[in-house]
Amino acid sequence: MLRFLLTGGFSSVFVAWFFLVVIRLPLLIHGLPMIQPELNWLLIGERLHRGFMIYTETWDSLSPLSAGVYALIDILFGRSQTAYHIIAMLLVMLQSAYFSMFLQRHELYTERTHLPALLYCLCATLFYDFYTLSPVLLGLTFLLIGLNALFTQLDRDDVDDEAFGIGFYLSMATLFYIPFGWFIGFAFVALVLLSAVRLRKFLLLLFGFTLPLAILLLSFYLVNEYDAIYFNWIAVFWERYSVIYADFKTFIIILQPLGLLLVLAASQLIGGNTRFINYQIRCQQAMFMWLLAAGVSLFFADDFAPYVFLVFVPPVAFFGTYYFALVRKAWLGELVFWLLLVYIGFNNLGKFYLPASATLWNDTALIVKKNPEHYNFRQKRLLVIGQGLDEYKDNIPATPYLTWRLSRRHFENLDSYTTVIDLYNNFLQDPPEVIVDKHNIVPTLFKRLPALGQEYSKGTDPNVYFRKSPIKTAKH
């Protein structure tokens, strides 16, 4: 089996896709639980579809191109978790085929092989939250295109025409997932250490990276909304504020196959009898720098869930192929491959088809929970003052205040006249029918804005407020 995958033609890519579908399809049919970040993306796509702009009228740190994709999906399919899963699977198929083909084109292995496509598909299926259409997965597409351009630049060191493309594709990846901005450092160091140093090359790299970002920032500046994108997207990136959805043990259990493949590959590349040309060695060094950049990007992830480790999938598939191609004992390679397959199957199917005691990880913080029984409101325009999105699952978000860590600068600053006026205007533009107050802020808010307080009354739950009269003006 492994020998066929190592030496087979493009048919090996179809085998990789077959494994991907076989592992994912049972869970897609069974139904996957909705995760907290996924609900957030669905809500943002819905708000943008309703006509509310990202950052100005929807306060969240999601990168702009990802927000645009989610809005397009909401236009086409509505609030559909299934659409996210199907599109994500198709995207993984395309990424794996593209990744494998450009590695083969650059002749980075001793044999022509499409095994990287299979390892890519398997590593992109480590855990069920890898299945959704995350910003990491979206941005990874442009990282791969940038990596292909970097390998081309390393191969054609006498010209600099790929440098602009490298910077441009890395910038596009950043517009999908802002921690990917650190990969410009990866590209810069790789070009400094692994190619001829020419000023023109680095100017093209810098220009390619800054151009899309400059266009985005200039567009917000021209409509006098630069502060919105700065406070809700750029400043959040530097704050290094992360919502952690799993404990350390859970991350280790889920992700240890990635580390194991890297260790095994290192043992073959360092201790084995290998003969690589200079270009192949430089590409290996570039992929090692990718690992370092990926590690740095983790520290700036705003949602720290297992899916953020998708950025490690390309280098693990790249180096893992070396292990299976170079290992001398064929039976050992087969054993490692099937153990990897069984482990991935356990990680995925065990969650839903085995008793809870059989699973070793804790994902309760990751999954969206059911609302309490006394929250008997459904399909209402809702505002939640506090951390968590569970209440939004069966309701429609109202006002810009979707993400609590950004909304706090208004709700915890009610002594400021300007803040109170901004709050009032935001309520007028998109008034909620229900307010869930987790921090007992509403009494102070209504004291500052008595006209607003007259519109609401307490429900049976002291922290829930209902609007007295129907909403007359709001965007659809």
Side-chain angles (χ1 to χ4, degrees):
M1 174 78 177
L2 192 58
R3 179 51 51 185
F4 165 74
L5 294 170
L6 279 169
T7 58
F10 192 78
S11 58
S12 302
V13 175
F14 292 102
V15 174
W17 291 352
F18 172 78
F19 275 102
L20 179 71
V21 173
V22 165
I23 294 174
R24 291 197 177 198
L25 191 59
L27 299 186
L28 296 181
I29 294 174
H30 177 277
L32 291 170
M34 185 174 290
I35 62 173
Q36 295 278 348
E38 185 177 45
L39 176 58
N40 187 53
W41 307 327
L42 288 164
L43 295 173
I44 291 172
E46 184 178 83
R47 276 192 65 82
L48 268 61
H49 181 197
R50 291 169 53 205
F52 296 100
M53 293 295 297
I54 189 69
Y55 309 131
T56 57
E57 298 171 308
T58 303
W59 287 18
D60 193 84
S61 57
L62 182 67
S63 293
L65 291 187
S66 291
V69 169
Y70 297 143
L72 178 61
I73 293 174
D74 192 83
I75 292 170
L76 296 175
F77 306 105
R79 191 191 290 190
S80 173
Q81 183 187 21
T82 301
Y84 277 35
H85 293 163
I86 293 175
I87 295 172
M89 184 166 64
L90 295 174
L91 187 56
V92 170
M93 288 180 173
L94 293 175
Q95 288 176 355
S96 63
Y98 175 74
F99 181 62
S100 184
M101 285 189 294
F102 81 69
L103 291 182
Q104 187 177 102
R105 185 172 66 253
H106 290 294
E107 299 181 347
L108 298 181
Y109 299 106
T110 54
E111 296 178 323
R112 296 178 67 84
T113 176
H114 282 291
L115 183 60
L118 176 59
L119 294 181
Y120 193 103
C121 289
L122 292 179
C123 292
T125 315
L126 272 181
F127 196 56
Y128 68 86
D129 76 335
F130 282 36
Y131 290 23
T132 192
L133 191 65
S134 64
V136 180
L137 183 62
L138 291 168
L140 196 54
T141 304
F142 286 90
L143 286 188
L144 291 175
I145 300 174
L147 179 65
N148 183 26
L150 176 63
F151 284 172
T152 302
Q153 180 65 60
L154 295 179
D155 189 32
R156 302 168 55 199
D157 203 26
D158 55 326
V159 295
D160 302 326
D161 53 349
E162 294 292 338
F164 175 84
I166 296 170
F168 179 81
Y169 295 129
L170 295 182
S171 183
M172 294 298 291
T174 303
L175 293 177
F176 278 102
Y177 184 62
I178 192 171
F180 284 166
W182 288 107
F183 276 80
I184 190 62
F186 143 75
F188 182 85
V189 174
L191 291 176
V192 168
L193 298 181
L194 306 177
S195 69
V197 177
R198 286 188 292 271
L199 178 61
R200 179 176 181 271
K201 181 190 302 181
F202 298 106
L203 290 177
L204 286 172
L205 176 71
L206 182 62
F207 181 63
F209 183 76
T210 56
L211 180 62
L213 294 171
I215 292 173
L216 172 71
L217 297 179
L218 181 62
S219 64
F220 274 83
Y221 177 79
L222 291 176
V223 295
N224 200 30
E225 295 291 356
Y226 178 79
D227 287 348
I229 192 172
Y230 176 78
F231 286 111
N232 292 332
W233 189 52
I234 300 172
V236 173
F237 172 66
W238 293 107
E239 288 175 3
R240 291 180 56 193
Y241 178 93
S242 295
V243 179
I244 301 175
Y245 290 105
D247 55 25
F248 182 74
K249 174 186 174 183
T250 299
F251 281 107
I252 293 297
I253 292 172
I254 294 171
L255 302 167
Q256 58 187 353
L258 299 181
L260 176 62
L261 275 179
L262 287 175
V263 170
L264 291 174
S267 68
Q268 290 297 321
L269 290 171
I270 297 173
N273 183 20
T274 57
R275 295 180 180 178
F276 298 111
I277 63 175
N278 181 263
Y279 170 65
Q280 291 172 330
I281 293 173
R282 283 185 290 146
C283 289
Q284 293 167 14
Q285 293 169 336
M287 287 304 290
F288 177 74
M289 295 176 193
W290 175 304
L291 283 172
L292 298 180
V296 172
S297 72
L298 294 180
F299 287 97
F300 293 85
D302 51 357
D303 292 322
F304 202 76
Y307 72 84
V308 300
F309 286 84
L310 276 165
V311 68
F312 287 94
V313 169
V316 170
F318 176 83
F319 287 115
T321 300
Y322 280 110
Y323 169 74
F324 292 110
L326 298 175
V327 64
R328 293 182 177 181
K329 298 178 180 179
W331 65 267
L332 183 58
E334 291 278 356
L335 178 63
V336 171
F337 173 76
W338 288 106
L339 286 176
L340 173 66
L341 200 59
V342 169
Y343 192 91
I344 291 173
F346 174 78
N347 258 6
N348 287 273
L349 302 178
K351 166 69 181 177
F352 306 100
Y353 294 99
L354 293 177
S357 58
T359 57
L360 304 175
W361 56 83
N362 178 12
D363 59 353
T364 54
L366 182 63
I367 297 174
V368 175
K369 302 169 185 62
K370 292 182 178 180
N371 289 326
E373 291 296 332
H374 61 276
Y375 282 11
N376 57 355
F377 45 87
R378 297 288 185 275
Q379 298 303 313
K380 299 292 186 181
R381 296 180 187 270
L382 175 67
L383 168 63
V384 178
I385 302 177
Q387 186 68 41
L389 299 170
D390 305 283
E391 294 84 0
Y392 286 116
K393 184 178 181 181
D394 300 314
N395 295 285
I396 303 166
T399 76
Y401 308 114
L402 183 60
T403 303
W404 174 240
R405 69 176 182 271
L406 300 175
S407 305
R408 291 174 64 175
R409 71 174 184 262
H410 268 189
F411 286 106
E412 295 182 354
N413 191 29
L414 294 178
D415 291 331
S416 167
Y417 177 79
T418 302
T419 298
V420 172
I421 293 300
D422 289 341
L423 270 163
Y424 184 69
N425 290 333
N426 288 331
F427 268 77
L428 286 182
Q429 183 185 27
D430 186 24
E433 296 174 285
V434 182
I435 302 174
V436 176
D437 182 12
K438 297 182 178 181
H439 294 280
N440 198 31
I441 289 175
V442 168
T444 305
L445 174 64
F446 287 168
K447 183 178 179 180
R448 298 288 188 275
L449 294 169
L452 184 64
Q454 293 175 3
E455 297 287 335
Y456 293 88
S457 61
K458 278 190 177 183
T460 54
D461 189 315
N463 295 321
V464 179
Y465 297 80
F466 292 89
R467 187 176 175 88
K468 297 176 183 178
S469 57
I471 295 173
K472 297 179 181 179
T473 59
K475 292 187 180 182
H476 64 278

